[in-house]
């Protein structure tokens, strides 16, 4: 008779929020479903931002600035906790905050994703509308806390997808990565001390209880076709006691109480301003720091330079020559890349391996002793080295990371990532055509580490590097193996390698 | 003598320009010796050799690994060719002291298994001339016999990269060198590129042609003589 109001209410919210979409690892997809993102400009935003929206995802043309310092250490994400009674307008407030912040690296994490998996008996009760979803015990606080902690540390996390028809977690999970600001929202978000500790700012949305009931009635009756008794029964039995017992007492923990929810523009502006101030304090001018660090130091032991044979020197001469046409440039760079990758592969761990030969003898050989191998290229120029990797490896899995330099700030910005799943035990060959300051390479390494790849399992492979870039990467990530065909001494004021071979991507693709 | 041969694949190979290390690089087999150079070995090269040796490996894996090893030998072989200094200007306007390889080289493959190495040479040097020599064992006398040879006309003026993956008894290669000599190529200008050699094969070769340079990846009394059959899928 009385269908499960609470459940479907939550289900609706889930489907429009952090649990939505496929399980793809899309950067900051949580904000992709925002209904409107206003063009309101805030004084603190220096870079104009535009968003291309498709059905499934939003593509941002302003990327994520560095979220780590020149030691490669993470700057923690800023976490805003949002609490308030059911139907108090937390979602609206969250959306308004994102709108006011007006930058893409914001993820929205809902506590609804962390409902416990129900036993068959509990499932029965839920079917009869007798299971209390508005109770502290209904949530898996442990997992919730662990997930939020990792997200705050900048790690990639798997968000469970709760299925309200079976009351179990779906097989697939949603991957969330790349947050500078996390908005954590839920009716019980201030209840546990260990969760509260993770929140940098606690906002309580305080809407009058009559107003909340009125909203609930309106929503459930007009939009869901429920009857009045059913909704009231639910409200009186679970929702109202829960608010009084668990939620209302947590108001004391709030830094800011927002009356009237999403319509309170003054409060939302204040929150956004505070977040800006906090984020600005964490910013630093990374690239110029990098360009001047470590000059004159001996080159690190993790650097491996391909032996400078006559052929390697000859190819370098052709690539560096400004009068070399694109045809030759492409041909000879490919040859050099192949030699580079053969060299890089020889640095992977191997173990003895004995085989039988057709000549009926035993041969003491070698084989790769790692768990797996995958490649990740740094777009755009990194894409040019992919074919060479394919020519020396069979069926290798390949990820891509798009990093662009913001022309105003000269800082690298992360725009897009697609990293193969389950790479935490793999050796990863991270590829870019050239490494100048090392800023983009460091960002890409940071992305891999955030995906739990082991630092010692990363090989940064590049045709040409500048000394300062080598130092920066080695200083921040001393276990990463750095592999190249030559290290040039200098960078000019535009951070180009000197003598170098010009802009590799432009010469390769003919866009100079 | 074979007993003086160093263990397979373990020797440092440095290119010809670094003559101070030559003593470590070259393996002398008796008084009359060909210069045998082994590509600097590493785990990845050992892995490729293992796959080629393994009797249980699939053909596609075999060909893929053989092609990789061949390419490495070809690239190393090209390092033995003559070059001169060459200064260029980079796009940033700086000078770069480089080198330029001289013209006047060619490749010659010994049919059939030598043809497996042609593609790698072509991929490294787009316009290089490639000659071919067909040598087969006479079924009655069991001696190597030349059936066909097509070589660049001016081959006597060129440095020749002779390609044949397996040097076992050495008879086939000896016959090919004979053909080259008939066309006016002197031993000093012949570089034999091969994947696997036997000490016996090197002995045979060096007693007849001490001035030839041989580049290989491994010296071992047992060599994968099934190479051509497996590579071309006729086993």
């Amino acid at each position: 008779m009385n269908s499960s109001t609470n459940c479907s209410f939550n289900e609706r919210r889930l489907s429009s929020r952090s649990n939505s979409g496929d399980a793809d690892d899309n950067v900051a997809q949580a904000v992709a479903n925002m209904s409107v993102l206003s063009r309101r400009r805030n004084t603190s935003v220096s870079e104009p931002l535009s968003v291309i929206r498709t059905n499934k995802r939003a593509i941002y043309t302003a990327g994520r600035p560095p979220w780590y310092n020149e030691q490669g250490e993470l700057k923690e994400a800023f976490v805003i906790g949002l609490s308030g009674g059911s139907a108090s307008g937390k979602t609206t407030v969250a959306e308004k905050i994102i709108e006011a912040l007006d930058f893409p690296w914001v993820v929205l994490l809902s506590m609804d994703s962390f409902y416990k998996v129900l036993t068959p008996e509990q499932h029965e009760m839920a079917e009869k509308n007798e299971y209390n979803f508005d109770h502290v015990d209904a949530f898996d606080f442990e997992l919730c806390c662990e997930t939020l902690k990792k997200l705050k540390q900048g790690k990639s996390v798997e968000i469970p997808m709760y299925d309200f028809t079976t009351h179990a977690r779906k097989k697939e999970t949603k991957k969330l990565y790349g947050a500078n600001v996390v908005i954590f929202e839920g009716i019980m978000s201030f209840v546990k001390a260990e969760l509260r500790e993770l929140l940098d700012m606690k906002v309580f949305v305080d809407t009058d209880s009559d107003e909340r009931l009125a909203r609930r009635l309106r929503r459930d009756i007009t939009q869901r076709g429920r009857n009045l008794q059913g909704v009231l029964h639910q409200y009186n039995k679970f929702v109202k006691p829960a608010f009084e017992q668990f939620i209302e007492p947590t108001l004391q923990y709030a830094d800011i109480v927002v009356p009237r929810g999403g319509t309170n523009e003054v409060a939302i502006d204040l929150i956004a301003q505070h977040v800006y101030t906090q984020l600005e304090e964490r910013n630093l001018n990374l690239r110029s720091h990098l360009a001047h660090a470590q000059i004159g130091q001996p080159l690190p032991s993790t650097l491996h330079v391909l032996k400078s044979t006559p052929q390697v020197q000859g190819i370098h001469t052709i690539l560096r020559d400004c009068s070399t046409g694109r045809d030759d440039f492409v041909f000879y760079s490919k040859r050099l890349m192949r030699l580079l990758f053969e060299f890089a592969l020889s640095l992977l761990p191997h173990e003895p391996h004995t085989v039988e030969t057709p000549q009926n003898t035993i041969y003491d050989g070698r084989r790769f002793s790692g768990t797996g191998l995958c490649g990740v290229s740094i777009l755009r120029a990194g894409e040019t080295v992919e074919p060479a990797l394919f020519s020396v490896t069979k069926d290798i899995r390949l990820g891509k990371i798009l990093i662009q330099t913001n022309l105003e700030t000269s800082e690298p910005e992360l725009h897009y990532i697609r990293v193969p799943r389950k790479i935490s035990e793999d050796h990863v060959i991270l590829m870019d055509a050239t490494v100048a300051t090392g800023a983009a390479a460091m960002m890409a390494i940071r992305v891999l580490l955030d995906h739990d790849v082991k630092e010692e399992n990363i090989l940064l492979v590049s045709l040409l590097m500048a000394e300062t870039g080598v130092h920066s990467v080695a200083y921040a990530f001393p276990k990463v193996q750095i592999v190249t065909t030559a290290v040039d001494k200098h960078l000019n004021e535009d951070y180009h390698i000197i003598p170098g071979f010009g802009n590799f991507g432009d010469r390769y693709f003919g866009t100079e | 003598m074979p007993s003086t041969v160093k263990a397979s694949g373990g020797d440092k190979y440095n290119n010809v320009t670094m003559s101070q290390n030559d003593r470590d690089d070259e393996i002398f087999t008796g008084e009359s010796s060909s210069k045998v150079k082994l590509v600097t070995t590493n785990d990845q090269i050992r892995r490729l050799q293992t796959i080629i040796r393994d009797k249980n490996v699939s053909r596609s894996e075999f060909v893929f690994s053989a092609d990789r090893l061949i390419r490495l030998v070809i690239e190393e072989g090209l390092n033995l060719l003559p070059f001169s200094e060459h200064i260029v200007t980079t796009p940033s306007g700086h000078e770069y002291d480089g080198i330029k390889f001289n013209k006047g080289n060619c490749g010659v493959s010994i049919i059939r298994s030598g043809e497996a190495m042609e593609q790698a040479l072509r991929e490294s040097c787009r316009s290089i001339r490639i000659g071919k020599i067909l040598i087969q064992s006479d079924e009655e006398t069991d001696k190597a016999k030349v059936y066909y040879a097509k070589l660049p006309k001016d081959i006597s003026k060129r440095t020749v990269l002779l390609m044949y993956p397996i040097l076992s008894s050495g008879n086939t290669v000896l016959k090919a060198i004979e053909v080259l000599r008939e066309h006016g190529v002197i031993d000093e200008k012949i570089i034999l590129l091969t994947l696997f050699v036997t000490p016996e094969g090197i002995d045979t070769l060096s007693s007849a042609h001490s001035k030839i340079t041989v580049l290989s990846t491994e010296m071992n009394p047992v060599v994968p003589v099934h190479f051509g059959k497996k590579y071309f899928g006729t086993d």
Side-chain angles (χ1 to χ4, degrees):
Chain A
M1 280 286 288
N2 209 351
S3 64
S4 172
T5 319
N6 228 338
C7 302
S8 27
F9 167 52
N10 284 319
E11 191 177 14
R12 184 201 65 84
R13 296 203 310 184
L14 283 174
S15 69
S16 69
R17 302 243 300 283
S18 63
N19 258 1
S20 64
D22 49 31
D24 239 332
D25 52 343
N26 199 2
V27 176
Q29 193 179 331
V31 291
N33 294 305
M34 293 286 310
S35 49
V36 202
L37 193 74
S38 85
R39 305 288 309 140
R40 193 174 351 153
R41 174 91 327 101
N42 207 302
T43 46
S44 332
V45 187
S46 58
E47 171 67 13
L49 148 75
S50 56
V51 184
I52 304 158
R53 202 174 299 282
T54 65
N55 283 341
K56 291 202 105 179
R57 65 171 67 110
I59 301 154
Y60 296 98
T61 58
R64 184 186 187 195
W67 58 102
Y68 46 82
N69 61 16
E70 71 264 43
Q71 279 99 39
E73 292 162 348
L74 288 167
K75 292 183 266 180
E76 287 197 332
F78 188 85
V79 184
I80 304 171
L82 268 183
S83 189
S86 165
S88 61
K90 293 186 295 298
T91 313
T92 317
V93 172
E95 285 173 0
K96 294 272 186 181
I97 292 173
I98 292 171
E99 206 176 285
L101 286 175
D102 200 12
F103 61 77
W105 302 95
V106 183
V107 299
L108 187 53
L109 181 65
S110 173
M111 227 175 137
D112 295 351
S113 308
F114 299 95
Y115 273 114
K116 276 182 187 161
V117 176
L118 299 194
T119 63
E121 296 80 50
Q122 289 169 327
H123 179 62
E124 287 272 301
M125 282 171 69
E127 292 288 292
K128 290 192 215 117
N129 204 16
E130 295 293 328
Y131 182 81
N132 190 353
F133 283 94
D134 288 72
H135 194 275
V136 182
D137 294 343
F139 292 95
D140 184 345
F141 277 97
E142 204 175 311
L143 181 66
C144 181
C145 196
E146 191 187 313
T147 307
L148 186 60
K149 199 179 276 174
K150 280 186 83 178
L151 202 56
K152 183 173 172 139
Q153 286 167 356
K155 300 273 188 190
S156 157
V157 294
E158 306 268 343
I159 311 290
M161 293 173 78
Y162 198 77
D163 185 336
F164 275 87
T165 55
T166 61
H167 300 103
R169 284 176 192 146
K170 292 182 185 171
K171 245 193 223 152
E172 65 268 38
T173 55
K174 187 181 151 45
K175 207 164 174 179
L176 220 50
Y177 173 66
N180 286 358
V181 175
V182 180
I183 299 179
F184 174 65
E185 167 279 323
I187 51 173
M188 304 278 177
S189 49
F190 296 170
V191 171
K192 297 274 177 175
E194 61 264 41
L195 265 179
R196 286 200 302 272
E197 276 168 22
L198 297 172
L199 307 176
D200 297 302
M201 185 183 197
K202 293 182 274 297
V203 178
F204 193 94
V205 182
D206 189 22
T207 306
D208 182 70
S209 58
D210 295 346
E211 169 74 12
R212 287 192 287 109
L213 175 59
R215 259 191 224 162
R216 228 185 139 98
L217 286 171
R218 199 180 312 131
R219 180 156 54 198
D220 287 354
I221 292 169
T222 63
Q223 295 173 17
R224 311 274 167 77
R226 306 251 157 73
N227 62 43
L228 183 65
Q229 287 89 341
V231 180
L232 285 176
H233 167 77
Q234 181 88 27
Y235 184 82
N236 287 323
K237 184 155 186 200
F238 297 128
V239 182
K240 191 162 184 286
F243 182 74
E244 284 159 4
Q245 191 188 345
F246 302 115
I247 304 167
E248 202 171 25
T250 65
L251 189 136
Q252 57 170 313
Y253 301 116
D255 302 311
I256 294 182
V257 178
V258 179
R260 305 188 308 282
T263 57
N264 192 334
E265 295 208 357
V266 176
I268 284 158
D269 250 18
L270 281 172
I271 293 167
Q273 282 304 331
H274 180 72
V275 174
Y276 273 127
T277 322
Q278 293 295 310
L279 289 180
E280 265 176 22
E281 275 175 21
R282 292 159 198 232
N283 258 340
L284 58 96
N285 197 348
L286 191 71
R287 185 159 266 169
S288 65
H289 271 263
L290 293 178
H292 300 107
Q294 312 285 320
I295 285 177
Q297 300 281 313
L299 287 167
S301 60
T302 47
L303 173 69
H304 308 273
V305 182
L306 181 69
K307 206 172 116 190
S308 183
T309 62
Q311 283 297 321
V312 170
Q313 291 169 37
I315 293 171
H316 261 282
T317 311
I318 292 163
L319 295 182
R320 288 165 183 281
D321 188 347
C322 64
S323 67
T324 298
R326 194 160 68 255
D327 195 30
D328 277 350
F329 190 84
V330 170
F331 177 81
Y332 286 102
S333 61
K334 279 185 171 167
R335 251 184 84 191
L336 191 58
M337 287 168 193
R338 182 159 177 154
L339 289 170
L340 175 64
F341 280 118
E342 287 284 4
F343 178 54
L345 293 181
S346 76
L347 300 170
L348 294 171
H350 286 72
E351 63 189 8
H353 177 55
T354 305
V355 295
E356 263 183 71
T357 73
Q359 291 75 38
N360 293 318
T361 56
I362 298 294
Y363 183 79
D364 293 323
R366 292 275 191 286
R367 67 178 169 196
F368 174 56
S369 62
T371 315
L373 182 67
C374 74
V376 172
S377 62
I378 302 173
L379 305 185
R380 166 185 69 160
E383 227 166 5
T384 62
V385 294
E386 288 173 7
L389 179 63
F390 283 133
S391 65
V392 296
T393 53
K394 270 189 144 185
D395 311 324
I396 193 167
R397 291 176 300 150
L398 197 70
K400 289 171 194 276
I401 300 177
L402 175 61
I403 294 170
Q404 295 275 290
T405 300
N406 181 324
L407 292 177
E408 279 175 38
T409 63
S410 290
E411 294 293 331
E413 289 184 346
L414 177 63
H415 288 258
Y416 170 88
I417 57 167
R418 174 83 15 136
V419 173
R421 293 221 142 182
K422 298 192 176 73
I423 58 169
S424 58
E425 294 306 313
D426 283 5
H427 281 77
V428 179
I429 293 184
L430 181 63
M431 317 171 258
D432 200 351
T434 57
V435 170
T437 57
M442 280 177 67
M443 182 172 273
I445 292 169
R446 194 61 258 173
V447 168
L448 293 178
L449 294 177
D450 291 346
H451 285 77
D452 292 324
V453 176
K454 295 193 179 76
E455 190 179 320
E456 60 271 28
N457 286 356
I458 300 173
L459 281 84
L460 174 64
V461 178
S462 185
L463 280 176
L464 182 67
M465 295 190 182
E467 218 174 283
T468 157
V470 172
H471 281 306
S472 297
V473 172
Y475 177 64
F477 306 108
K479 293 182 198 158
V480 170
Q481 303 294 320
I482 305 168
V483 190
T484 186
T485 71
V487 178
D488 279 9
K489 284 269 173 214
H490 304 289
L491 281 183
N492 67 9
E493 59 280 8
D494 299 324
Y495 306 127
H496 292 150
I497 302 173
I498 303 298
F501 38 46
N503 183 319
F504 187 89
D506 282 348
R507 288 188 78 188
Y508 192 96
F509 291 113
T511 51
E512 67 260 64
Chain B
M1 297 298 291
S3 57
T4 63
V5 169
K6 290 186 189 172
S8 60
D11 299 271
K12 285 259 176 204
Y13 159 66
N14 289 311
N15 66 62
V16 282
T17 55
M18 300 183 175
S19 53
Q20 70 273 20
N21 287 332
D22 272 1
R23 263 181 305 145
D24 297 334
D25 305 337
E26 296 175 14
I27 297 161
F28 296 94
T29 55
E31 284 180 6
S32 64
S33 62
S34 305
K35 285 187 265 181
V36 178
K37 294 173 176 296
L38 294 179
V39 174
T40 310
T41 197
N42 59 41
D43 282 339
Q44 197 57 209
I45 288 176
R46 300 276 289 123
R47 177 166 171 256
L48 297 177
Q49 291 164 340
T50 308
I51 292 167
I52 292 167
R53 294 275 190 177
D54 190 350
K55 75 172 182 185
N56 295 318
V57 82
S58 71
R59 199 180 144 240
S60 79
E61 184 82 8
F62 179 91
V63 171
F64 184 80
S65 302
D67 282 341
R68 276 180 64 194
L69 194 60
I70 288 168
R71 178 72 176 255
L72 288 168
V73 171
I74 297 279
E75 286 282 2
E76 280 292 355
L78 296 175
N79 283 325
L80 304 173
L81 298 175
F83 57 86
S84 45
E85 284 182 9
H86 184 58
I87 296 171
V88 295
T89 308
T90 72
S92 61
H94 294 71
E95 281 199 346
Y96 179 80
D97 298 334
I99 62 164
K100 192 177 186 171
F101 279 85
N102 301 345
K103 290 196 151 82
N105 311 303
C106 72
V108 171
S109 70
I110 302 172
I111 299 171
R112 162 182 77 154
S113 56
E115 286 183 302
M117 301 173 75
E118 278 182 25
Q119 196 196 345
L121 180 62
R122 181 65 73 212
E123 282 170 2
S124 308
C125 307
R126 276 173 296 183
S127 57
I128 195 166
R129 289 166 201 265
I130 297 178
K132 287 173 193 278
I133 300 173
L134 173 60
I135 294 166
Q136 298 222 285
S137 296
D138 190 306
E139 281 179 12
E140 283 171 19
T141 63
D142 208 30
K143 277 193 172 170
K145 193 177 163 198
V146 180
Y147 281 79
Y148 168 88
K150 188 82 184 171
L151 303 168
K153 283 200 186 86
D154 56 353
I155 193 165
S156 60
K157 296 179 196 139
R158 295 177 181 269
T159 304
V160 177
L161 297 168
L162 184 60
M163 297 177 281
Y164 196 60
I166 310 293
L167 182 72
S168 181
S169 70
N171 290 335
T172 306
V173 172
L174 277 182
K175 205 75 193 168
I177 294 169
E178 228 170 79
V179 174
L180 290 176
R181 182 176 275 179
E182 282 165 18
H183 286 78
V185 183
I186 55 169
D187 286 0
E188 284 87 338
K189 295 186 89 172
I190 298 174
I191 300 166
L192 173 64
L193 302 179
T194 174
L195 302 183
F196 297 92
V197 294
T198 60
E200 293 78 9
I202 291 297
D203 261 4
T204 309
L205 195 62
S206 47
S207 53
H209 303 278
S210 61
K211 302 289 166 105
I212 282 180
T213 303
V214 180
L215 180 65
S216 185
T217 74
E218 187 186 282
M219 171 122 57
N220 193 313
V222 180
V223 288
V225 286
H226 62 295
F227 187 93
K229 281 181 181 168
K230 186 129 185 178
Y231 190 94
F232 293 107
T234 52
D235 50 350

